[in-house]
Amino acid sequence: MIAFFILMRNMFHVVRILFRQEEQKAVMFSVVFLLAVGMFFYHSVEKLTYLDSVYLAVMTLTTVGYGDVHPITPLGKIFSMVYVLLGIGVISAVIANFNRALKEFHQTKRKPK
């Protein structure tokens, strides 16, 4: 249990470092924007509920794709193909920035005070 709290404390510091970066703020805005676009698209074109629309947008954007909810219409399938390609780039940027923040956290942690 103590290890969990130490991990959470360290993650809090990493997230603080992460959101000091201007690039990360833009990337997170892009993630939220893409999720909103996906949610409204799937809700209007695929006639899904808002919850199912957000779920499908997250599963598609992160390329998980469980397959329990999926696009039915041809327009939905075309949108999903483009959406996945955009998602790969944006999620890769999130991961890269997180790794950079983690590296900075470990470098500052090792510096003698």
Side-chain angles (χ1 to χ4, degrees):
M1 192 67 166
I2 293 173
F4 175 75
F5 287 117
I6 292 171
L7 176 67
M8 289 298 108
R9 182 188 59 138
N10 290 345
M11 288 302 297
F12 173 75
H13 291 296
V14 170
V15 169
R16 276 190 23 211
I17 292 169
L18 190 63
F19 282 99
R20 282 195 308 236
Q21 303 169 355
E22 289 301 317
E23 178 185 340
Q24 182 61 24
K25 292 175 186 174
V27 169
M28 291 309 291
F29 174 77
S30 298
V31 168
V32 170
F33 178 75
L34 280 175
L35 286 173
V37 167
M39 178 189 68
F40 288 119
F41 177 85
Y42 290 129
H43 177 71
S44 63
V45 173
E46 297 292 328
K47 306 298 183 214
L48 297 172
T49 65
Y50 281 110
L51 179 61
D52 284 341
S53 298
V54 170
Y55 175 77
L56 182 56
V58 169
M59 292 301 115
T60 305
L61 193 64
T62 59
T63 69
V64 172
Y66 287 127
D68 51 348
V69 179
H70 59 279
I72 305 290
T73 64
L75 183 59
K77 292 176 183 179
I78 292 169
F79 174 81
S80 294
M81 288 187 284
V82 173
Y83 196 62
V84 165
L85 294 174
L86 289 173
I88 290 170
V90 172
I91 298 300
S92 295
V94 170
I95 292 169
N97 287 341
F98 183 80
N99 286 337
R100 188 180 320 139
L102 193 59
K103 181 179 176 183
E104 183 180 328
F105 169 71
H106 285 294
Q107 286 174 343
T108 58
K109 191 174 169 184
R110 289 187 186 135
K111 285 184 181 177
K113 294 182 180 180

